[in-house]
Amino acid sequence: MTRPAPKQFNRTQALYERALRTIPLASQTFSKSAMNFVRGASPLFMSRAHDCRTWDVDGNEYIDYMLGLMPIILGYCDPDVDAAIRAQLDRGIIFSLATELEVELAERLVRMIPCAEMVRFGKNGSDATSAAVRLARAHTGRDRVAVCGYHGWHDWYIGSTTRSLGVPAAVRALTTTFTYGDVEGVERLLGGDPNGFAALVLEPVAPNGGDKHFLSALRSLTEHYGVVLVFDEIVSGFRIDLGGAQKVYGVTPDLACFGKAMGNGMPIAAVLGRAEIMRHMEDIFFSGTFGGEALSLAASIATIDKLTALNGPKRIESVGTFLLREIAAVLQQAGLPEISIGGMPWHPIVKVTAEGARAMTITSLLRQELIASGILGGGGINICIAHDEPAILETTIARWKQAASAVCEAVRSPDPAKYLRGDPIRPVFQVRAQ
Ligand SMILES: Cc1ncc(COP(=O)(O)O)c(C=O)c1O
């Protein structure tokens, strides 16, 4: 198989060294940092992006399956969303009082999302999940929280992970983790402290899929113990369905959090749910300077309208179904049993089944070779509507074939690590069981 000409990363390397002098980690986000890439053989800085393609500072082009960690759902520079942003820019970015845009967006979300009776906006997913926990604590008068999945950078959640440095022990003690699908475990947890838990917070869909039976059991258990059930739909929201996983699985939580794809890249998130709980917003403190910033609200309204008109989640699912089938075939033809693809059609996931250091080597080799072939991405395959083009999908599979053949050569050699052209990826932490 003909290999693509090696990419150059000279400007990337120079910029990385320069950035390290003023920016710790040279990035604002762990998953976008050098930790997540084979250094020297990967882009670290982007210069522009359009539809589903992106260009790094060295001018290398990629089909992008990271999508900025999922805020892009239509495509980069979507003309309709960008027109809505430009039109709002001419009227003003932020105002001294609320705007009609807030009401319009809240009304759309209430129409679309089963649990939504009232809505408040934030800028990040972490704003929404932290607001949900504060609401739950205010509503129940209890302090403890049980979590499953990833819920953002704030103390109440991150203290329960291995990245807990800087979080007081007293805060860490209030959060307990549970396992997706383990009804008995959750029953033991809540039953063991019947008046202790304020909220059960989970991503309603695990990497391998959602479990309606489990979600229904959580609904009954939380009702029984008076615990607020919170679905963190920051990944599933809009992608699985415009109404979220709660609509697909038919289980309605008390509160839910949306973010990421809400504004096709603009920073906006929402906490929403039952009016009885949401009304505690009048007494708790969830209030910030940039709440109600208008460009993001306009972008979100345009994103929802376009996704609705295009039947967006169905288009994403059909791209994912194609990629699941075709990438599985590529991996099988290449003879790479240690790499598989699974997950949901709206969010396929590439898994490496090797043990220990070998797993990290193979993960790094795969990301390195995908990048060499012109595919940005690795673990989660993030899909946007702009991927839904025959030429893009054909090129994606051709590039995967090139990458798989290069990984195969390395994996079959006595020392696969020798094929790495830089330091391997370092894991940030793993919170979602694969
Ligand atoms: C499920 C989930 N919840 C919450 C968050 C936090 O969102 P943000 O990074 O926008 O604060 C994320 C971010 O990746 C997420 O995936």
Side-chain angles (χ1 to χ4, degrees):
M1 180 158 304
T2 50
R3 291 268 165 84
K7 290 183 165 49
Q8 295 302 317
F9 294 105
N10 299 335
R11 190 159 150 64
T12 297
Q13 282 305 103
L15 198 51
Y16 180 59
E17 274 149 39
R18 182 176 148 207
L20 279 177
R21 290 199 281 274
T22 49
I23 301 175
L25 204 69
S27 176
Q28 313 305 319
T29 312
F30 269 125
S31 307
K32 297 181 186 181
S33 76
M35 284 177 73
N36 210 22
F37 294 92
V38 177
R39 232 171 317 151
S42 306
L44 292 173
F45 301 89
M46 288 300 163
S47 65
R48 68 191 172 96
H50 206 274
D51 48 57
C52 60
R53 290 163 307 147
T54 189
W55 288 262
D56 68 22
V57 290
D58 283 283
N60 301 305
E61 177 261 354
Y62 308 87
I63 302 179
D64 188 337
Y65 287 94
M66 274 181 79
L67 300 178
L69 306 177
M70 295 181 116
I72 300 299
I73 187 162
L74 288 162
Y76 291 100
C77 299
D78 179 81
D80 297 306
V81 176
D82 287 5
I85 295 169
R86 281 194 195 95
Q88 187 56 44
L89 194 54
D90 286 342
R91 292 186 206 110
I93 299 171
I94 194 156
F95 302 96
S96 305
L97 301 172
T99 61
E100 192 170 342
L101 291 169
E102 292 167 42
V103 186
E104 276 197 25
L105 181 55
E107 286 172 351
R108 273 176 178 70
L109 296 173
V110 167
R111 275 200 297 276
M112 279 167 19
I113 301 167
C115 80
E117 292 172 358
M118 299 190 90
V119 185
R120 282 285 299 268
F121 301 113
K123 303 311 293 170
N124 291 289
S126 305
D127 294 352
T129 55
S130 298
V133 166
R134 189 166 296 166
L135 282 171
R137 285 175 168 158
H139 186 66
T140 57
R142 302 170 181 172
D143 290 339
R144 293 185 72 190
V145 177
V147 297
C148 173
Y150 175 70
H151 306 299
W153 72 273
H154 291 175
D155 281 8
W156 69 269
Y157 167 71
I158 210 67
S160 72
T161 73
T162 51
R163 283 264 169 194
S164 61
L165 188 64
V167 179
V171 175
R172 278 191 275 137
L174 296 176
T175 302
T176 309
T177 57
F178 64 95
T179 304
Y180 195 95
D182 181 10
V183 179
E184 288 76 28
V186 175
E187 202 161 5
R188 268 197 309 278
L189 192 64
L190 300 188
D193 189 4
N195 293 310
F197 283 91
L200 208 72
V201 186
L202 78 154
E203 290 184 78
V205 189
N208 286 327
D211 178 345
K212 184 179 165 66
H213 164 74
F214 177 59
L215 298 176
S216 305
L218 293 188
R219 184 60 288 182
S220 308
L221 283 169
T222 47
E223 267 163 18
H224 180 76
Y225 288 106
V227 177
V228 175
L229 181 62
V230 183
F231 281 3
D232 176 344
E233 301 240 33
I234 283 159
V235 165
S236 55
F238 290 18
R239 280 199 150 77
I240 187 168
D241 189 282
L242 282 156
Q246 56 192 275
K247 181 141 179 234
V248 172
Y249 293 100
V251 177
T252 306
D254 299 301
L255 297 175
C257 305
F258 283 67
K260 294 224 189 249
M262 274 187 75
N264 199 47
M266 291 298 279
I268 181 155
V271 56
L272 40 82
R274 276 172 48 205
E276 184 197 358
I277 302 176
M278 288 297 294
R279 286 218 170 85
H280 293 293
M281 281 286 182
E282 290 165 20
D283 301 309
I284 67 163
F285 200 85
F286 178 64
S287 171
T289 306
F290 293 106
E293 170 271 306
L295 299 187
S296 301
L297 294 164
S300 188
I301 291 168
T303 301
I304 290 170
D305 290 353
K306 188 155 183 183
L307 284 172
T308 307
L310 292 176
N311 206 355
K314 278 278 159 276
R315 301 258 308 260
I316 287 172
E317 188 181 310
S318 92
V319 171
T321 303
F322 172 87
L323 292 175
L324 277 169
R325 187 183 64 232
E326 296 298 318
I327 293 173
V330 167
L331 293 170
Q332 205 203 358
Q333 276 157 22
L336 274 172
E338 286 154 306
I339 306 178
S340 61
I341 181 161
M344 305 294 290
W346 59 272
H347 194 210
I349 292 181
V350 178
K351 296 174 199 169
V352 172
T353 42
E355 296 291 317
R358 188 170 166 86
M360 228 47 227
T361 302
I362 296 178
T363 303
S364 304
L365 281 166
L366 179 63
R367 195 154 308 166
Q368 167 184 289
E369 296 307 328
L370 283 170
I371 282 168
S373 302
I375 297 279
L376 188 63
I381 297 192
N382 303 341
I383 299 168
C384 68
I385 303 289
H387 286 123
D388 191 14
E389 285 291 333
I392 292 288
L393 295 176
E394 216 173 279
T395 309
T396 297
I397 299 306
R399 290 180 181 184
W400 261 90
K401 274 189 190 149
Q402 281 170 351
S405 124
V407 174
C408 194
E409 185 184 325
V411 168
R412 286 198 186 136
S413 77
D415 186 4
K418 269 207 170 142
Y419 285 73
L420 286 174
R421 296 190 284 278
D423 293 341
I425 293 168
R426 287 172 291 157
V428 178
F429 57 47
Q430 183 161 333
V431 287
R432 298 178 180 104
Q434 295 291 307

